Amino acid sequence: MKLSERIHYVGVNDDEKSLFEGLWPLPSGVSYNSYLAVDEKIALIDTVEHGFEDEFIAAIAESIGDRNIDYLVVNHMEPDHSSLITYIMERYPDLQIVANAKTLPMLKGYYAVPEEKVLIVGENDEVSLGSCSLRFHMIPMVHWPETMVTWLEEEKTLFSGDAFGTFGCVDEEVVDNDGTFEEYRDEMIRYYSNIVGKYGNPVQTALKKLSGLDIRRVCSTHGPVWENNISKVVSLYEKLSRYEVERGVCIVYGSMYGNTAAAADALAMELEARGIPYAIHDLAGNNSGELGVSGALRDVFKYDTVAVGSPTYNNGIYPPVETFMKALSSRLIRNRRFYAFGSYTWSGASVRQLNELAASMNFEVLGEGMSFPQAYTREKCDMAAVAELLR
Ligand code: FEO
């Protein structure tokens, strides 16, 4: 579909895949966005994931008929955007790939692209399409080291790669309306926290670099095209990349026989009674909510306090909770308060170990936590006092 006379959307929706990167649940699917810049010359900006060859080539044909594609701009090499490079090269054998020096070895390694097919560009370099030009800005680590964005000044349009992307398919309009930001906000935070959350500083660097552009349209690789909510989307990225949060508690727990779960539920009730915002995530096996660690990470990026519950298991932390703690640690999250709780049968170790992990992440550990023997009871676990501590 046409976003303007010169910019056409040729992306696809994937509502079949259940896990993005084999890890992150997709209850509403995901889109792989690709765009055509159509002028005297034509540039295709990124491709889509394999499996969508027919739909992709049909969208391109509908857009440009039998005209040739002159350039394929590779903003980002993750295979959700690059895996049809070979397919496109076979159909448009004369096209030149436009990429930067860090992309080149990846093009060779993934798709055996010959070096002579690649036009290497650097910061601020331009490629003319005739009446308009593409300009390139490097934004390393948003999301991989080779990542760049493409700016089309004449359309005030930023092809932003993964930046400003979100989980969730796009509707037929593709372009956002006034309500789109709120509709996608949670999934955008989940996408950011799951995929880009480790790279707060590079995101900050990228935002500073792009702040001088008069952006009127953001064409990300995932989710809606942003025209009407750009300031909200950029503000959200500012906030997330600074690890800024709201007052509230993200309760995350795993439980084998329901005792740590009962403590988590009791804490949630006490928070509710005090009007303290909270979210609660059960990570254990069959009890796991549909979003699991993915949803828990999202809410750690929303709230300033993390309360983690784990029974003692093999003299350590219950494995699903340990996985969550590792995911927290790898995201270099700052400025969080932390509270640990959990049951044990003959020797408590999980709460102490959780606190040690939290301290190693420079979280503010609130007291010793609550390690209680065997069954949960209100007498053993004063969750009202815990809620006051977390207030
Ligand atoms: Fe959507 Fe980092 O790829």
Side-chain angles (χ1 to χ4, degrees):
M1 71 166 281
K2 283 187 179 181
L3 306 178
S4 71
E5 278 307 308
R6 284 190 283 219
I7 299 178
H8 305 180
Y9 177 86
V10 288
V12 299
N13 277 327
D14 185 349
D15 56 8
E16 294 287 324
K17 182 181 281 190
S18 58
L19 293 175
F20 190 75
E21 295 182 341
L23 284 171
W24 312 110
L26 293 171
S28 307
V30 68
S31 69
Y32 313 117
N33 297 342
S34 171
Y35 304 90
L36 285 164
V38 181
D39 201 16
E40 291 161 35
K41 291 187 172 179
I42 293 178
L44 177 65
I45 297 161
D46 293 313
T47 70
V48 303
E49 184 150 346
H50 65 79
F52 293 89
E53 287 83 348
D54 293 347
E55 197 176 329
F56 187 42
I57 206 72
I60 291 171
E62 190 176 334
S63 178
I64 60 171
D66 58 4
R67 286 189 65 186
N68 198 26
I69 293 177
D70 299 279
Y71 301 110
L72 168 55
V73 176
V74 179
N75 277 337
H76 180 28
M77 275 296 292
E78 192 164 5
D80 52 334
H81 312 296
S82 70
S83 59
L84 292 194
I85 284 178
T86 304
Y87 175 81
I88 288 297
M89 287 178 72
E90 286 169 359
R91 270 142 196 85
Y92 298 94
D94 297 330
L95 71 68
Q96 198 164 23
I97 289 183
V98 180
N100 65 69
K102 287 183 184 168
T103 314
L104 185 59
M106 299 183 188
L107 284 166
K108 290 179 181 172
Y110 270 111
Y111 308 115
V113 173
E115 196 161 339
E116 59 271 20
K117 292 291 290 181
V118 184
L119 172 64
I120 297 290
V121 293
E123 182 69 29
N124 267 320
D125 283 354
E126 291 194 3
V127 169
S128 173
L129 300 180
S131 70
C132 64
S133 295
L134 303 173
R135 198 167 82 217
F136 308 98
H137 298 289
M138 307 302 125
I139 58 162
M141 302 319 300
V142 190
H143 159 223
W144 282 8
E146 90 302 357
T147 311
M148 65 181 192
V149 296
T150 299
W151 172 243
L152 208 171
E153 169 72 27
E154 290 79 1
E155 294 279 340
K156 307 285 188 204
T157 295
L158 183 71
F159 300 96
S160 65
D162 284 345
F164 312 117
T166 171
F167 292 134
C169 291
V170 293
D171 60 24
E172 282 183 3
E173 277 75 41
V174 179
V175 178
D176 65 336
N177 57 43
D178 288 347
T180 306
F181 177 72
E182 285 308 322
E183 186 185 330
Y184 281 85
R185 187 173 185 276
D186 263 9
E187 282 297 76
M188 200 167 185
I189 297 172
R190 191 167 70 88
Y191 175 83
Y192 180 93
S193 65
N194 291 184
I195 309 299
V196 200
K198 179 181 169 71
Y199 305 114
N201 287 336
V203 170
Q204 280 285 304
T205 303
L207 289 171
K208 281 193 189 81
K209 180 180 277 191
L210 303 176
S211 63
L213 302 176
D214 178 20
I215 301 170
R216 305 290 173 85
R217 182 185 293 121
V218 176
C219 293
S220 167
T221 46
H222 299 291
V225 169
W226 300 107
E227 290 184 5
N228 299 295
N229 293 273
I230 292 174
S231 61
K232 289 179 184 171
V233 167
V234 172
S235 293
L236 181 61
Y237 256 62
E238 276 281 1
K239 191 174 162 185
L240 292 169
S241 60
R242 289 180 199 279
Y243 299 95
E244 287 178 10
V245 277
E246 300 157 16
R247 185 77 191 84
V249 182
C250 177
I251 304 169
V252 184
Y253 70 95
S255 188
M256 287 184 281
Y257 296 106
N259 292 297
T260 299
D265 289 341
L267 174 57
M269 283 179 60
E270 295 293 347
L271 293 171
E272 177 97 37
R274 287 162 178 77
I276 300 171
Y278 73 94
I280 183 164
H281 295 277
D282 175 359
L283 303 181
N286 292 335
N287 298 330
S288 184
E290 64 175 12
L291 296 179
V293 168
S294 174
L297 285 173
R298 176 196 67 199
D299 291 332
V300 169
F301 273 75
K302 280 188 186 175
Y303 295 133
D304 68 348
T305 304
V306 192
V308 177
S310 167
T312 293
Y313 187 89
N314 284 342
N315 205 34
I317 300 167
Y318 188 45
V321 180
E322 202 165 30
T323 299
F324 166 72
M325 293 299 288
K326 192 167 185 191
L328 267 192
S329 171
S330 67
R331 279 159 181 76
L332 310 175
I333 292 166
R334 303 189 289 260
N335 311 327
R336 294 297 186 278
R337 305 189 308 162
F338 185 87
Y339 186 83
F341 61 94
S343 69
Y344 66 91
T345 300
W346 67 94
S347 173
S350 61
V351 167
R352 176 177 46 78
Q353 291 182 20
L354 285 169
N355 282 337
E356 287 169 359
L357 283 175
S360 74
M361 295 180 225
N362 293 319
F363 288 3
E364 179 190 353
V365 178
L366 302 171
E368 293 182 355
M370 180 177 285
S371 182
F372 59 93
Q374 297 98 30
Y376 164 83
T377 65
R378 291 173 63 179
E379 290 68 34
K380 289 180 199 172
C381 304
D382 185 355
M383 284 305 182
V386 176
E388 285 299 318
L389 182 67
L390 305 188
R391 185 187 278 281

